[in-house]
Amino acid sequence: MLKGKTVLLGVTGSIAAYKIAGLASMLVKQHADVTVLMTQNATNFINPITFETLTGNKCLIDTFDRNFQYSVEHVSLAKRADVVLVAPASANVIGKIANGIADDMLTTTVMACANRCPILVAPAMNTNMYENPIVQDNLQKLRRFGYTVIEPDSGYLACGDTGRGKMPSEQVLFDWIQKEIACEKDLHGLRVVVTAGATAEKIDPVRFITNHSTGKMGCAVAKRAMLRGATVTLVCGRMTVEPPPFVTVVPAESAAEMFEAVKSAAESADIVVKAAAVADYRPKTVAAEKMKKQDGDLTLALERTTDILAYLGAHKKTGQTLCGFAMETENLLENAAGKLRRKNLDLIVANSLRTPGAGFGVDTNVVTLLTADGAETLPLLSKEETADRILDRIVELRKEDKA
Ligand code: CTP
């Protein structure tokens, strides 16, 4: 996903420096071209050879190294960089960058990158140092100049204290980099609402009715929309997967809660994608106490829930694109086409539970995209690739709408 992208990692003197080896490796596996710049102090914590082995690129420390590939290495690096992450960022380096001091390879390169590419800074230090008003003031100054400060975690620190100042995990730093540079930002400025997972309808305080949805497909749509630059709200029922980072998560347990959450989020949405498996019926009454078993059978009276998608279709805002899902076990295309018309949708994603590789819990899907103009059946793809194809179709529909 990061093929052709150049990532600069600035490592300063902090015990958290060792984590950057894992991060460099994750980035290289995604085919990024990674160069690590270290302060002299950082070399006390991790050997430059570690980074050189992992990235295949020379680790840069000394501005006046005469073995550089280019004569003004920091400037040529800055010209190629797609993103810079300074992590762990010590109080000292934060202070230097915020106050225009560039006295080594790392700080001169960061200075040369300003206004060329995004610069992320992940502070890591003792809580007292982190909370020092001078450090906070310097971080504020960086934010003012457009740098992104990645907030440190709270936890056990190397000095033995517990508090704020812990550098986030490699995965979190990777997510930040990915958000900045992965894929074209063709959804920038758009608000996207996605629903995912299964609703649960209470029978009594211990029992409920639900379905097999895991939330994988909806989360894939939310993640790809976020990476493509959209502001994403994910309204989710029960899920077995973690929601993607950088999306606003609104939990909704029942169909009624999901209806309220989606209705309000959709007010200002440009695009709504309804991947959640919503209950069509709920118990007519919810028992206040646990229902005790009786001799003989039990019949539960069920009542209809509101069809959220039909409501959205009936109240569609000008310029809003509405995408539904249809999971069927028979007559896939006829049923899906019926839902497209009845619910006033722009697009419906149809899949059959009978197709191998499609459906609940798996990482792949086989879907047909139906619009008023026709149907396109996609091959077996990962759920993330499927999500991209759905979003591609939505982008096309919005362009056609404008034209
Ligand atoms: N949906 C919804 N609200 C409901 C039920 C379904 O918003 N109460 C949405 C789902 O999120 C999905 C689409 O409607 O995007 C299709 O769901 P599905 O259960 O396949 O279809 P139904 O319209 O409920 O039709 P049927 O039960 O006849 O298959």
Side-chain angles (χ1 to χ4, degrees):
M1 229 198 305
L2 302 180
K3 203 176 166 92
K5 300 290 179 181
T6 299
V7 179
L8 305 187
L9 298 177
V11 179
T12 79
S14 154
I15 184 66
Y18 77 92
K19 290 190 190 171
I20 303 304
L23 174 65
S25 168
M26 290 165 82
L27 292 164
V28 169
K29 282 185 191 145
Q30 292 295 322
H31 308 287
D33 182 15
V34 181
T35 295
V36 178
L37 305 119
M38 298 176 84
T39 60
Q40 196 62 52
N41 285 344
T43 62
N44 289 313
F45 292 91
I46 185 164
N47 195 298
I49 297 171
T50 307
F51 292 128
E52 291 181 351
T53 311
L54 290 169
T55 64
N57 286 326
K58 189 170 161 56
C59 181
L60 310 174
I61 302 157
D62 177 8
T63 324
F64 302 104
D65 186 335
R66 272 170 293 127
N67 298 318
F68 277 154
Q69 196 181 350
Y70 304 97
S71 55
V72 193
E73 186 74 8
H74 62 286
V75 176
S76 87
L77 259 181
K79 282 183 185 159
R80 284 185 285 130
D82 292 293
V83 67
V84 187
L85 168 70
V86 183
S90 63
N92 181 45
V93 159
I94 290 167
K96 283 190 194 175
I97 299 174
N99 292 286
I101 297 169
D103 63 354
D104 61 8
M105 189 62 194
L106 193 159
T107 47
T108 47
T109 307
V110 170
M111 189 172 271
C113 283
N115 300 326
R116 277 187 187 278
C117 69
I119 303 174
L120 315 176
V121 177
M125 64 197 77
N126 165 270
T127 311
N128 262 355
M129 293 173 74
Y130 180 67
E131 287 173 355
N132 184 313
I134 297 173
V135 173
Q136 286 303 317
D137 206 44
N138 285 335
L139 289 172
Q140 206 42 40
K141 192 165 173 186
L142 290 182
R143 289 187 192 97
R144 235 184 26 248
F145 281 103
Y147 294 61
T148 299
V149 176
I150 302 175
E151 296 297 326
D153 287 343
S154 287
Y156 181 77
L157 305 173
C159 55
D161 291 353
T162 302
R164 240 145 85 84
K166 195 177 155 74
M167 192 176 75
S169 69
E170 297 88 315
Q171 183 62 53
V172 170
L173 298 177
F174 178 84
D175 290 343
W176 274 97
I177 289 175
Q178 181 168 252
K179 173 170 156 290
E180 289 295 343
I181 60 172
C183 62
E184 195 198 327
K185 307 295 178 204
D186 59 347
L187 298 180
H188 178 75
L190 295 178
R191 276 167 297 205
V192 177
V193 174
V194 182
T195 69
T199 60
E201 307 300 330
K202 281 197 182 97
I203 299 172
D204 70 7
V206 289
R207 303 177 182 94
F208 54 84
I209 301 172
T210 188
N211 59 66
H212 292 295
S213 174
T214 58
K216 278 188 179 173
M217 192 61 236
C219 283
V221 174
K223 179 175 174 187
R224 296 306 306 173
M226 174 276 291
L227 289 176
R228 288 168 73 154
T231 302
V232 180
T233 301
L234 178 67
V235 180
C236 52
R238 300 173 73 84
M239 303 201 297
T240 61
V241 291
E242 285 295 314
F246 311 114
V247 307
T248 303
V249 176
V250 182
E253 179 84 359
S254 63
E257 281 170 25
M258 190 170 276
F259 176 57
E260 290 306 324
V262 172
K263 199 166 68 165
S264 117
E267 280 292 317
S268 57
D270 301 293
I271 297 165
V272 182
V273 181
K274 283 225 69 244
V278 187
D280 289 326
Y281 295 91
R282 68 174 155 242
K284 212 169 176 138
T285 52
V286 179
E289 305 299 337
K290 183 185 170 197
M291 288 165 65
K292 305 303 283 180
K293 63 177 164 297
Q294 314 281 341
D295 290 339
D297 296 340
L298 169 74
T299 304
L300 277 179
L302 301 177
E303 65 181 10
R304 282 290 307 271
T305 58
T306 308
D307 189 321
I308 307 168
L309 195 52
Y311 174 91
L312 295 179
H315 298 85
K316 207 194 298 181
K317 311 267 174 293
T318 318
Q320 195 172 65
T321 312
L322 194 51
C323 169
F325 274 69
M327 180 179 267
E328 307 288 344
T329 54
E330 53 185 2
N331 305 327
L332 176 71
L333 296 186
E334 299 86 300
N335 283 340
K339 287 174 193 176
L340 179 80
R341 270 194 315 276
R342 277 198 311 279
K343 300 193 190 191
N344 189 28
L345 310 180
D346 301 289
L347 171 66
I348 193 154
V349 182
N351 65 354
S352 166
L353 255 190
R354 307 271 183 243
T355 310
F360 297 123
V362 290
D363 291 324
T364 53
N365 214 343
V366 183
V367 302
T368 300
L369 307 183
L370 280 105
T371 62
D373 294 336
E376 180 194 5
T377 301
L378 304 181
L380 177 78
L381 296 170
S382 71
K383 283 192 170 159
E384 287 207 17
E385 285 167 320
T386 306
D388 256 336
R389 300 288 287 269
I390 295 167
L391 293 169
D392 288 347
R393 193 74 192 91
I394 289 174
V395 168
E396 279 168 22
L397 284 171
R398 293 180 65 82
K399 277 192 193 137
E400 286 163 17
D401 229 27
K402 278 203 184 123

